[in-house]
Amino acid sequence: MKSVPEFRARKGQAPISMVSAYTHWEARFLAESPVDCVLVGDSLATVLDGDATTFSATPEIVARHTAAVARGLGEPAQRKLIVADFPFLAARRGLAAAIDTAALLLRSGAHAVKIEGVDGHADVIAHLVQSGVPVMGHLGLTPQSVHAMGGYKVQGRDAAAAAELKRQARAVEQAGVFGLVLECVPAGLAAEITAELKVPVIGIGAGAGCDGQVLVMADLLGLGGGAHRPRFVREFAPAGEAVRAGLAAFHAATAERSFPTAKESY
Ligand code: KIV
């Protein structure tokens, strides 16, 4: 999938797979894979840097990783759809600042941006969309609001919270998003929102009723490393085991002087 129109057209068709990745080497694997599209998420702050929150990701940092991912995905015309995150508070500095952030991310290789939340910045989303910048929404658990939410918790559990989430979903669609990420939402509620919206809904911890799924590449490969693995993460390949074995083998070969051989020397 190479474009926003292709993404939109998948509503009600085949599910969309999206992977959150930040580096050139990850992007090279993704380029060879059937995965539909790539998100350069601000989760890079937690996954790459070990921060407790995503707050340290700035537009410049996300832009740098977007450029690395774009290079890894190959020539511009061949690239899968790249969505880059608007990081912490970047949608709250007014229209001109949002335009600057969008320009930075799109000049770095993104085709679209993703913005958490909607209340108080629906005008920013609409302004970007009207300026030709495709925007993906993100509702449910929005990590940039972790303190307001009292932690990384499932959202929309009771009737009032579910109704509120549906209201936000309608508002963000009204603002013009081409897709929506729903994070940590009960499966039934996510399926209802997916059925109501005209744009594709991509779930993470939101059940199988969405139009697609997104996971962080390090998580789906078992490289996440953190002490707490969320319930929604499935390890699709045990790459962590391969890494541990590789490091042990390098250490052993160095210790016994079997590496490097003559062929590996000059
Ligand atoms: O930052 C990120 O990687 C994300 C996904 C987990 C949806 O927002």
Side-chain angles (χ1 to χ4, degrees):
M1 175 187 297
K2 295 192 175 66
S3 72
V4 168
E6 271 184 76
F7 183 97
R8 292 186 83 113
R10 287 280 282 276
K11 181 81 183 181
Q13 307 295 319
I16 298 167
S17 59
M18 182 159 89
V19 167
S20 191
Y22 330 106
T23 63
H24 183 259
W25 69 264
E26 286 174 305
R28 287 176 58 189
F29 279 110
L30 284 164
E32 295 167 2
S33 79
V35 165
D36 289 311
C37 50
V38 182
L39 169 67
V40 184
D42 62 354
S43 56
L44 61 88
T46 56
V47 178
L48 291 186
D49 300 340
D51 287 351
T53 69
T54 56
F55 302 166
S56 65
T58 62
E60 290 71 24
I61 290 172
V62 177
R64 187 168 165 81
H65 285 281
T66 300
V69 164
R71 284 191 295 272
L73 287 176
E75 292 305 311
Q78 309 304 322
R79 286 176 193 159
K80 292 172 192 281
L81 178 67
I82 306 173
V83 182
D85 253 337
F86 247 54
F88 187 51
L89 296 178
R92 309 292 297 193
R93 297 180 195 276
L95 298 183
I99 288 288
D100 287 346
T101 299
L104 178 65
L105 296 176
L106 266 62
R107 283 183 184 132
S108 301
H111 301 97
V113 300
K114 174 166 77 60
I115 296 183
E116 291 187 10
V118 63
D119 290 337
H121 56 273
D123 61 329
V124 170
I125 295 173
H127 186 66
L128 290 172
V129 172
Q130 286 158 21
S131 306
V133 177
V135 179
M136 177 176 278
H138 183 161
L139 296 174
L141 170 55
T142 45
Q144 292 169 16
S145 306
V146 61
H147 295 322
M149 292 179 164
Y152 295 103
K153 294 177 178 166
V154 177
Q155 302 295 307
R157 276 200 192 274
D158 61 38
E164 172 60 11
L165 197 54
K166 283 184 177 177
R167 181 195 63 75
Q168 291 177 1
R170 287 177 201 122
V172 83
E173 184 170 59
Q174 181 68 32
V177 298
F178 72 94
L180 173 66
V181 167
L182 267 188
E183 180 165 353
C184 288
V185 171
L189 174 60
E192 286 176 28
I193 293 173
T194 301
E196 188 178 327
L197 295 198
K198 292 187 178 58
V199 298
V201 174
I202 308 298
I204 175 163
C210 299
D211 297 306
Q213 301 292 328
V214 56
L215 280 179
V216 169
M217 182 145 163
D219 287 342
L220 74 87
L221 294 179
L223 296 171
H228 171 66
R229 186 164 92 182
R231 170 179 166 149
F232 60 74
V233 170
R234 186 189 294 180
E235 194 177 305
F236 285 88
E241 280 167 34
V243 170
R244 278 187 279 277
L247 291 173
F250 166 66
H251 176 79
T254 299
E256 68 189 24
R257 296 187 189 281
S258 64
F259 174 80
T261 60
K263 253 177 102 176
E264 290 160 332
S265 306
Y266 299 100

